Structures are given as C-alpha cells and as structure tokens.
Amino acid sequence: MSNPTRQATAANKPGRPAAATAAFGRPLQGWRLRAYTIIFEADTRAGRRFDLALIVAVLLSLALVMLESVASFREAHKTWLSWAEYAFTALFTAEYLLRLICVRRPLAYATSFFGIVDLLAVLPIYLAFFFPDLYALVDVRVLRLLRVFRILKLNNYVAAYLSLGRALRASASKILVFLSAVLMIVLIMGTVMYVVEGPENGFTSIPVSVYWAISTVTTVGFGDITPKTDLGRAIASLMMLLGWGVLAVPTGIMTAEMAAQRIGETASPTTRSCHACLREGLQADSHFCRHCGAPLPEYQRD
Amino acid sequence: MSNPTRQATAANKPGRPAAATAAFGRPLQGWRLRAYTIIFEADTRAGRRFDLALIVAVLLSLALVMLESVASFREAHKTWLSWAEYAFTALFTAEYLLRLICVRRPLAYATSFFGIVDLLAVLPIYLAFFFPDLYALVDVRVLRLLRVFRILKLNNYVAAYLSLGRALRASASKILVFLSAVLMIVLIMGTVMYVVEGPENGFTSIPVSVYWAISTVTTVGFGDITPKTDLGRAIASLMMLLGWGVLAVPTGIMTAEMAAQRIGETASPTTRSCHACLREGLQADSHFCRHCGAPLPEYQRD
Amino acid sequence: MSNPTRQATAANKPGRPAAATAAFGRPLQGWRLRAYTIIFEADTRAGRRFDLALIVAVLLSLALVMLESVASFREAHKTWLSWAEYAFTALFTAEYLLRLICVRRPLAYATSFFGIVDLLAVLPIYLAFFFPDLYALVDVRVLRLLRVFRILKLNNYVAAYLSLGRALRASASKILVFLSAVLMIVLIMGTVMYVVEGPENGFTSIPVSVYWAISTVTTVGFGDITPKTDLGRAIASLMMLLGWGVLAVPTGIMTAEMAAQRIGETASPTTRSCHACLREGLQADSHFCRHCGAPLPEYQRD
Amino acid sequence: MSNPTRQATAANKPGRPAAATAAFGRPLQGWRLRAYTIIFEADTRAGRRFDLALIVAVLLSLALVMLESVASFREAHKTWLSWAEYAFTALFTAEYLLRLICVRRPLAYATSFFGIVDLLAVLPIYLAFFFPDLYALVDVRVLRLLRVFRILKLNNYVAAYLSLGRALRASASKILVFLSAVLMIVLIMGTVMYVVEGPENGFTSIPVSVYWAISTVTTVGFGDITPKTDLGRAIASLMMLLGWGVLAVPTGIMTAEMAAQRIGETASPTTRSCHACLREGLQADSHFCRHCGAPLPEYQRD
C-alpha cells in the first residue's frame, strides 16, 4: 500500500533525533499514514470521497433526529428508527476512534476545535442513556459540516470563512464597547419598565423585564409581554426608535452623503424667497429670482 | 414703516416694463412687503419671532388634538376644549388668508408644497363639520414644522434636508427596481401561502395573505396571522431569512471585506494539515510544520 | 407589409450555407418577422403599444384573481367573474402560442427564463381544472411585469436590474458562507430550545423549534411560540442580540470610523485625572491640567 | 506614607501664589493624595485592585437586586437579603463620601458625569425609604461599570468609547433631521390609522395609535394592536415597507454598486434580441448574435 520511495521523508532521514519522536509522537507510516490522508486531508480522490460520505451521513442522521422529534412520525416508524439510531451511533463512534488512532498526538486532536466538535457529535447519544431528554442535542453534529468547504475544493470559501473569523477578532474591542452599551441600556430600561408597569401587567420580575427590553430594542417584538400604561408605552416607543435608529440612522446618512457627493452640491444658507415663484434659498445680493426671473425687492434683514 | 430710499428697487426703476407686473403680480410695497418679510422669511428679528410663535402654536394645537382623542381627558375637560379648538381654528385660518394676501401671486403660493401643507393644516377642521370623524386629521399640520429649520438659522440642517431629498431622486431608478422585486416576491409568496394554509388558518384571502407576507419579509411579524402547517412554516422560514438576509448579508460582507483589507491577508488554499498540532493550510512543499515545527511526511495528493 | 430592400439581410445573402437554417430554424420573414418585432422587441411604436397593453392585461387579471379570493366580493359578482376568467385565459393562451410560432426555435424560447415565466402565467388555469385550489397561483404571472422595464425605455432601469443580478453572483461564495453559518446556528439553537422548553411550552418538535429560532434571529418575532422558562428566555435573549447585532454592529462601527476619520483624533491612553476639574486622560508629564490650569501633584504609578 | 521628596511638586514650590489654592482647593497631600490615586486613577497596582473590587461589588449588588425581584427567590432567602442590602448600601455610601473628601473641589466632582452616576448609584436606596417601589432603580448603578475600561488598561477600548461619542456629536444635525422626519411620519400615519380603524379595533386614542405606528415603522411589531380593516392593513403594509425599506434600500444599493464597480460593466440599452437564443441587449448594428452566432434580420425600429 505504501511506496518504499515515499518512505524517504524528513521523519525517516538518518540523524533525525529521537526528540522529534518524543515531542510529536510516532511518525506516521503505512496504514496510519494512509488513514490520516483519507480522513483528515481532502486533496486525494479517496480523501474527497470520504468527506462526501461523511457529509451525507451527517445530513441523514440530522434529518433522522429532527423527524424523530415529530410525535406523529415517531409513532408511525417506531421499528426502524431505533435501528437507524444504533447504526449511526456505531458509525460515528468508530470514526472518532479511528481519528484518535491515526493521529500522531491524540490529545492534540481531542482538544482542537474540530476534535471537540467531533466528540460533541457522538457524546449526546451516550449521555441520553442517563438523560433521555438530551438525545436531541445530537443536532450539534451539524458543526461537522464546517468541513464541507474543503471537499468542494473552493478556496475562496475557505478564505471567506477564515477572513470572517479574523475580521471579528480585529474589531473585537469596538464590538465589546458597543455590546456593553447595549447591555447597560437594556438593564436600566428593563428595570424602569418593571417599576413603571409592575408584575400585574406582565413584567413579573427584573430579569423578565430585561428579556422584554431586549426583545424591544432588537426589534423582535414577540408580544408575549407588552406595556399597558401610557408612560410604559412612551418609554417603549423611545426604546423601539433607539433599536431601529441604530440601524437606520447610519444607513440613511451614508446614502445621503454618497448621493450628495455625486451631485456635488452646495448649500444655500439664506431663507430669502421669491415673491412670485416662492422658491427659497436665493442669494442675498440677487436683484432677480434665478428660477423665474421675477424682479425682487431689496433683501430685508437685521 | 417703509423707507423711501428702500423703495428704489429693481421693481420701481423707471423704464421697468409693465410686463413684469402682469407676469408677477403687483410689486410688494408698504405693509404687504413688511408682512411678507415677517411671515415668509426668517432673517429679520420679527421674522424669527413670528416663526417661533408659529411653532409653539402648532405644537400646542397638536397636543390638544392628541389629548382630545383620549376619552378620559375629553370627559374631564369638555368645557375649555371647544373654546381652544375655535381659537386655534380662527388663528390658523387668519394666518392662511394673510399669507394669500401678502404674496404677489396667491395661486403660486396655494399650489406650492408649503401652500398645500398650510391649507391641509386648516382644512380638516372645516371638513369635520360634515365628517366629524375626520377632525383628528388636523394632525397633518405637523408638517408645518418643516419650517422650524429656518428659525434655528442652522444652515446645515437646511442643507441636510435638501440633500436628503436630492439623494432620493438620484437613486430613484435603483430604488424602484428594488421595490418592484420586493412587491413581486411578496405577491407570489402571499398567494402561495394562501394556497398552502387556506382561510381556515387565518389566510382568508389573497390580499390578507399579501399583508401577512409583507409583515414577514419586513421582519415586523405582528403575529395576528401565523402559519400552522409544516409546509407553511417552511415557506415562512425562507421568507424571514430573505427579509433579514437582505439587510444582514451586505452589512456582514462589507465588514469582513473592510477588516480583510486592514489585515492584508492571503488565502491558504490547500487542506494539508500537520499531524501533530493539526493546523490546516500548510504549503504543499513544507518539510516541517511552520506552526509547531513537527517534521511532515511527504504531501499525498492526486 | 415588408419592404423588398429590407429583405437583403445577412440571412438571405447568396452563398449563405444551409447550415444556418438547420442550426437556427427558418429565417424570419414577412408576418412572422413583424409579429416577432412587435411581441418580443419594444423599439418600435407598435412594439411599445403591445407591451403596454400586455402590462395592463396582466395587472387587470392579477387584480381579478386577488379580488376573487375575497369571499364577499366573490359572492357579489359571481356572474361576470367567470366570463372575465375565461377571457383572460383565452387571451394569454393565444399570446403564448403566437410567441411559440413567430420564434425561430420554439424550444429555445420555451426553455428560456421568460419562456418559463410566460408558461407559468397560463398553466395554473389549466391545472385548476384538476386541482381547483391551485387557481390562485395564477398570481405567478406577475413575473411577466419584469418586461415592464423595456417599455419605459429607461436604460438605467435595465442596467440596474442586470447589475443587481451580477452583483449577487459575484459575492455568491461569501453569501453562502454567511447563510451556512446562520443555518447551523439556527439548527443548534432550535434544538437546544426544544430540549430546554419542551413540547408543553409550544416547542412541539425540532422542526417547529427551528422555525421559532429563525423567527427570533431574523428579528421577526411572530409570538405564536414564546419561551416560558427562565433559561429559555435567557437563550432567546442571546439569539435576539445576535440577530440584531449582525445588523447593528457593522453599521454602528462604520459610522464611528467615518466620523473618527473626519475628526482625526488621537487616543489619550493614561487614566491620569485632574483633581480640580476631574478631566481624565492627562499626559504623564504634565505639571498643570491642560483643561483648567490647576497645578498637579506628581504622577503616581507603578 | 508620603515621601518628602515627592512633596516637591508644582503645588508646593516657593512663590506659588495663594490664588491657586483659592481657585482649586487645598493641594492634595498625604493620605488624601494616596486615597485619590487609588480611587480615581488606575495606573498603580493598588488603584487597579480597587477598581477590580469595585466592579465585583457593583456586579454582585446588581445580581442581588435582580434576584430580589423574582418573587420565589425573595421568599426563599428573606433573611440574608436584607443584611446584604444594608451591607452594600453602607459600602457604596462610604465610598461616595470618601470620594467627596479626597477631591480638591468636591462640588466639581459631584456635578461631573461620573459624580452624578455615583450619586444615582446610592440614591435609590434612600428614596426607597419613602417610595418602596423605587428600590429597583438601584440598577442604575450599572453605569458605574463604564469605569471598567480603565482597569483592563486597554487603550483602544477607551479610544473606541470616546470616538463613538464624538461621532454622534459630529453627525448630530443629520440625525436630528432624520428623526424629525420619522416622528412626523409616525404622527400623521398614527392619526390616519386612528381615523380609519377607530377605538373598536384597538386604536383607542391618537397617542395609542402613534405607539402602534412606531412599533410598525421600527419593524418591532408587538401585535398587541393590529389593523382589522382592509384599508388599515393596506396603510400598515406601506408603513412596514417604509420602515424596512429605510434599512434595505441603502444596503442593497450599496452592495450592487460595489459589485458593479468590481465587474466594470457597461449597460446595453437596446431591447434588440436574438431570434434563436433569445438573449437581449444586442447592439443595433449587429449582423450576427454575439452569443450564439445566429444571423440576424435587419433591426426594426421607429
């Protein structure tokens, strides 16, 4: 399976110190190297096929979990649902163990982002033996689909995903400032509404009022709790305008500025208006209206 | 009141043809000129005081109309409310007539934007004699407050207001294309939901379904009508993602692009990964992992 | 009807191989050419009038379908509604057949975008013979109005429409990354809420919970399903902030950056503050406060 | 505690006029200087520890207030809740008095932004003796956390906070114009809906209708009040499209423009189309379709 000439890698060169082995684990060879290439990388045809099969398996198991939660479906298909569950459980558990085996340092894999994702993909099934309600959390395995970008060999997808992550980290401080301000406003406004409206109007405690405040400022507006007093509705109006205004004011202003640059306009600062056509903004020293030509009286001002 | 030397304007110069008078109306002199300056312009102290008094009057009358609509308030203050109504009616009617008089061409004023606004400010009161329900439309007189920008003598406010108007006209074609697309989508989706959900689920007719579709795509989500069937909810989910996505996709992408430019990043298009630290994106010709230094086997690919 | 000199087109030149005829169908001449010009193009007066009549017909038939769905209207106007239906059906069917006839390759037309739109404009009527409920889908014919841009001979509308389409294709990869992330988040959060709230609180299955999650993240917030438990409301609050934050954070940050550039400001990184006026951000080497002039003690720090 | 050589500050130099003392209060020395450094500044280790302890205290007291409002929690922990309240009250009151003492001009501190925030942090507790309902307003002390940015010694946070404030002031005029327009629209539309729908449909007065109008234009959509008449729903649809469109139109257009620049496209203004492949936008002088090569008849137009 493995070509002898391929074996002449950096790992096997004479003189390679044993420290490398100690630091990085046994070098990959033979079937372990082959397994690693297929499972972890996607630049070989076998690797791509594996990823494709994995995606299909993940999607199928997700559909299974979602349909199982629908009571009518669960009743109608009781028999084969359990078998399908066991099948997928066995499949993903075997795959996870195989990953641990064919990596040089299993602990590094198990603590990496994808390692944790892969563990969370199988864990809920076992937790469900003790806490049956948690079975649905198997849906977390959808995060495994983050690998799907590789198989499509679309580099710009990968670049887009990485750049989005870095973009967030670069602006982290600004985002934190912004969100802190929002949280403070929401806490204070929620408390004010709790005082103004009170538990008899649905605002049963401060946490509940803060939940309402968040639903109002983010313009979601469930409507399960609504202000009934006039003062409460006035405060709610302010919060709604704030939450929407944070979005609307910048976009509206930016559009106006862009268009203004395109037209290259200059402001007309006087209120002098023509008696005939009533157009405003005439120059202070005009003798005739520049729009309609009417003769103008001398400009009065003090 | 009027200075003889001021009278030597372009309108009165010898040789000024009578055509000007015919075309533009009698030239303003004496008390008409003074009234015009005070009422229509705001660069004199008297003009500014007039505008201020006007704003106060408009705001007071608005507050009056709004409070009158509250049944409890109406009951408690029946007596003086009628008198206040009559007072404001007389005031604004007198002002409107004065405007007509002191302008060179009353018809031009009556058909201008502000002329129509001023007329709509008094008209509902008279209409209410025949249609009492329409009295509340007196609130339209809030548009008179568009004049408030002048009295504050803040030129950038005037410029901002004018530039916003021009910005809209410049992009008119793009806005129309966008809104047409939205209307088509909303009509088709509303019809589909009408067919899928049907009148028994609240979608009583196509116009009502279109109203629901608009409330969903614009992310308002009143909740007075909601889909009950699975297919209906699936379609609703698509529409919600569309309506929100139109806002979220551009803003999210623009942020990522801006940050990407700031970092100046280059994509790493391979999926080659290190067996030890599991970092992806290694160069195809690496012998050692550039993150952790582990020696790498030869890169497998086909 | 056709001018003999006009006939001397490329299609009729001597030496033109029969291959063209085989590949593209019989060249258009005579009444077929005239029909094609009127129906498919809009640069002749007849062509524009045809498009105008078409738009009016489409709008009228749409209004008819919408009004028919209103039960009260249907009852009141039963008689002429059926006749109007038949009339429009005949009209649009005849027009579709005419289009097929006067085109060189009918199959190319039938499979093009507008060809499918035109087919969908008449098909529901015939489907309604078998499935009466589908009649309302006649509204799909509103897509025919996409042709309306041509008759107004407004080239910038056409350009805007085309550029919008191309813009979407250019950013397709980024949009896909973004939407994938949203779908994963919505699936996981929906499942978590299903586990936390459970069917007794309205979250009857995972698909329903995902529908709720979408309505929350997209800030629509119907309110037909709402969390009742404290943990559920906390998770809902996070989702609302996420959905709104995706819009608010970029717009808010971009505004701050634009304004910061305009002011050209530099940060003051110390917390040194003046004992008298309490202004922060004094330089470490100041002896006097630069705001109020108070003498300062030596700066304490370690 | 204080080093004699450190005492040789600008404040103590010989020849320093007594005017400085009169104008700025007694210069800080000894324990007052030390207290000031710890409490007001955060560049010493003691100063940072103080700020950290303060943040923890504020967060704990906030959690306490929030949990107290939950009836079940209040019942279960009645005993120690009162003691905790008194403890925090004493703590923050003592801290406020200490601040007043160790500042050169106590009045300047009491009237500064942070001074007022610190006062509002303790005041509600004392007001609650007279108005028990106001106790919850203790939550206002969350504003004290605005100081948290200093302890993290993250200068870009400080810069971000300051720049956000300045950004708002720079665009103040534009924001005011925008918000004025929104308020006018909301008042008029609210009044129209009051006239159209009337109190029997939930629109009990003009203020309530304006509250509904705000919830619609800001796309919050609580759903506690909804239009029932056809005309009312039509007007509501317009308002929803307006409120969402203000956000969607600029973002959508900006994206299209950015992408258009990237592609560098030129519009094709004719509607000339190929008979064979049906592609539009052919040049007026083409003899062959540039997409499929079909020979074209001469272009008909008038």
Side-chain angles (χ1 to χ4, degrees), chain D residues 57-294:
Chain D
V58 170
L59 286 173
L60 280 178
S61 73
L62 282 176
L64 194 77
V65 176
M66 290 183 73
L67 287 171
E68 258 195 299
S69 70
V70 183
S72 52
F73 187 90
R74 197 167 47 228
E75 291 307 313
H77 302 265
K78 242 181 169 26
T79 22
W80 64 268
L81 270 180
S82 313
W83 284 111
E85 271 188 52
Y86 297 143
F88 278 117
T89 306
L91 183 74
F92 288 121
T93 313
E95 185 223 346
Y96 185 72
L97 293 173
L98 189 57
R99 284 179 183 266
L100 283 174
I101 292 175
C102 74
V103 157
R104 283 187 83 165
R105 294 197 300 177
L107 200 65
Y109 165 69
T111 52
S112 73
F113 174 72
F114 276 114
I116 295 177
V117 166
D118 295 337
L119 183 62
L120 289 179
V122 285
L123 209 57
I125 313 172
Y126 295 105
L127 286 177
F129 281 124
F130 307 104
F131 306 101
D133 288 332
L134 292 187
Y135 177 70
L137 287 179
V138 165
D139 273 351
V140 174
R141 83 170 46 135
V142 73
L143 290 175
R144 306 202 71 195
L145 294 180
L146 285 173
R147 284 204 167 104
V148 72
F149 298 137
R150 304 191 322 164
I151 195 182
L152 301 176
K153 229 181 176 36
L154 284 160
N155 303 326
N156 45 348
Y157 282 165
V158 178
Y161 168 61
L162 293 170
S163 78
L164 187 64
R166 293 208 187 95
L168 287 175
R169 272 191 294 275
S171 311
S173 57
K174 289 202 177 73
I175 295 176
L176 252 143
V177 171
F178 181 77
L179 288 179
S180 311
V182 172
L183 286 176
M184 286 187 201
I185 289 173
V186 146
L187 175 61
I188 295 177
M189 286 316 206
T191 306
V192 169
M193 288 302 282
Y194 171 71
V195 171
V196 167
E197 292 275 332
E200 64 272 10
N201 283 330
F203 292 76
T204 50
S205 67
I206 295 186
V208 167
S209 306
V210 171
Y211 159 77
W212 172 87
I214 291 179
S215 84
T216 300
V217 157
T218 57
T219 74
V220 171
F222 282 128
D224 50 352
I225 307 167
T226 49
K228 305 286 188 296
T229 65
D230 291 334
L231 178 59
R233 282 173 167 170
I235 297 172
S237 302
L238 280 173
M239 294 175 67
M240 294 193 268
L241 284 169
L242 179 72
W244 176 77
V246 165
L247 304 176
V249 163
T251 46
I253 288 179
M254 279 194 291
T255 302
E257 282 197 19
M258 282 169 46
Q261 288 163 16
R262 210 182 305 131
I263 303 171
E265 62 186 39
T266 60
S268 316
T270 76
T271 64
R272 187 180 194 196
S273 39
C274 169
H275 311 161
C277 68
L278 296 163
R279 295 281 270 278
E280 276 196 24
L282 304 180
Q283 302 294 331
D285 59 358
S286 303
H287 285 293
F288 292 88
C289 169
R290 67 175 185 273
H291 299 286
C292 70

Side-chain angles (χ1 to χ4, degrees), chain A:
Chain A
M1 194 183 295
S2 52
N3 188 332
T5 40
R6 267 199 187 146
Q7 296 294 109
T9 64
N12 289 19
K13 289 211 175 76
R16 187 82 182 77
T21 307
F24 300 111
R26 293 186 299 115
L28 296 183
Q29 343 181 11
W31 71 269
R32 278 183 77 212
L33 175 62
R34 186 95 185 120
Y36 180 88
T37 310
I38 294 180
I39 299 180
F40 280 89
E41 293 178 353
D43 291 309
T44 64
R45 212 169 354 135
R48 283 190 293 275
R49 283 196 205 133
F50 177 83
D51 271 2
L52 188 60
L54 184 62
I55 290 166
V56 170
V58 170
L59 287 174
L60 280 179
S61 74
L62 284 175
L64 193 78
V65 176
M66 292 183 72
L67 287 171
E68 258 194 301
S69 70
V70 183
S72 51
F73 186 88
R74 198 166 49 227
E75 292 306 313
H77 301 266
K78 243 182 172 15
T79 22
W80 65 267
L81 271 180
S82 315
W83 284 111
E85 273 188 52
Y86 297 145
F88 279 116
T89 305
L91 183 74
F92 288 120
T93 312
E95 187 224 344
Y96 185 72
L97 293 173
L98 189 57
R99 285 181 181 263
L100 283 174
I101 292 176
C102 74
V103 156
R104 280 187 84 165
R105 292 196 302 179
L107 201 64
Y109 165 69
T111 51
S112 73
F113 174 72
F114 275 113
I116 295 176
V117 166
D118 294 338
L119 183 63
L120 289 178
V122 285
L123 209 59
I125 312 173
Y126 295 104
L127 286 177
F129 281 122
F130 308 104
F131 307 100
D133 289 331
L134 293 186
Y135 177 70
L137 286 179
V138 166
D139 273 351
V140 173
R141 87 174 37 140
V142 73
L143 289 175
R144 305 201 73 196
L145 293 180
L146 285 173
R147 282 204 168 105
V148 73
F149 298 138
R150 305 190 321 163
I151 195 183
L152 301 176
K153 227 178 177 39
L154 284 161
N155 302 327
N156 45 349
Y157 282 165
V158 177
Y161 167 62
L162 293 169
S163 79
L164 186 65
R166 293 206 188 96
L168 288 176
R169 273 190 293 273
S171 312
S173 57
K174 290 204 176 74
I175 296 178
L176 252 142
V177 171
F178 181 76
L179 288 179
S180 311
V182 172
L183 286 175
M184 287 187 201
I185 290 174
V186 146
L187 175 62
I188 294 177
M189 286 316 204
T191 307
V192 169
M193 289 301 283
Y194 171 72
V195 171
V196 166
E197 292 276 331
E200 64 273 9
N201 282 330
F203 293 77
T204 49
S205 67
I206 295 186
V208 167
S209 306
V210 171
Y211 159 77
W212 171 88
I214 291 179
S215 85
T216 300
V217 156
T218 57
T219 74
V220 171
F222 281 127
D224 49 352
I225 307 167
T226 50
K228 306 286 188 293
T229 65
D230 291 334
L231 178 59
R233 282 174 166 169
I235 297 172
S237 302
L238 280 172
M239 295 175 67
M240 294 193 268
L241 284 169
L242 179 72
W244 176 78
V246 166
L247 304 177
V249 163
T251 46
I253 288 179
M254 280 194 291
T255 301
E257 282 197 20
M258 282 170 46
Q261 288 163 16
R262 209 184 304 131
I263 303 172
E265 61 186 42
T266 61
S268 315
T270 77
T271 64
R272 187 181 194 195
S273 41
C274 170
H275 311 162
C277 68
L278 296 163
R279 293 282 269 277
E280 275 195 25
L282 303 181
Q283 302 295 330
D285 60 357
S286 303
H287 285 292
F288 292 89
C289 169
R290 69 174 184 274
H291 298 287
C292 71
L296 302 169
E298 195 167 313
Y299 190 36
Q300 317 282 331
R301 63 175 154 181
D302 52 32

Side-chain angles (χ1 to χ4, degrees), chain B residues 230-268:
Chain B
D230 291 334
L231 179 58
R233 283 173 166 170
I235 298 172
S237 301
L238 281 173
M239 295 175 66
M240 293 192 269
L241 284 169
L242 178 71
W244 175 77
V246 166
L247 304 177
V249 164
T251 46
I253 287 179
M254 279 193 293
T255 300
E257 282 196 19
M258 281 170 45
Q261 286 163 17
R262 210 183 305 132
I263 303 170
E265 61 186 42
T266 59
S268 317

Side-chain angles (χ1 to χ4, degrees), chain C residues 16 43 45 271 278 299 302, chain D residues 43 45 109 271 295 299 302:
Chain C
R16 187 81 181 78
D43 293 308
R45 210 168 359 132
T271 64
L278 297 163
Y299 189 36
D302 52 31
Chain D
D43 292 307
R45 211 169 355 137
Y109 165 69
T271 64
Y299 188 35
D302 54 30

Side-chain angles (χ1 to χ4, degrees), chain A residues 277-278, chain B residues 108-120 143-144 146-147 161:
Chain A
C277 68
L278 296 163
Chain B
Y109 166 68
T111 51
S112 73
F113 174 72
F114 276 114
I116 295 176
V117 166
D118 294 338
L119 182 63
L120 289 179
L143 289 175
R144 306 201 72 195
L146 285 173
R147 282 205 169 105
Y161 167 61

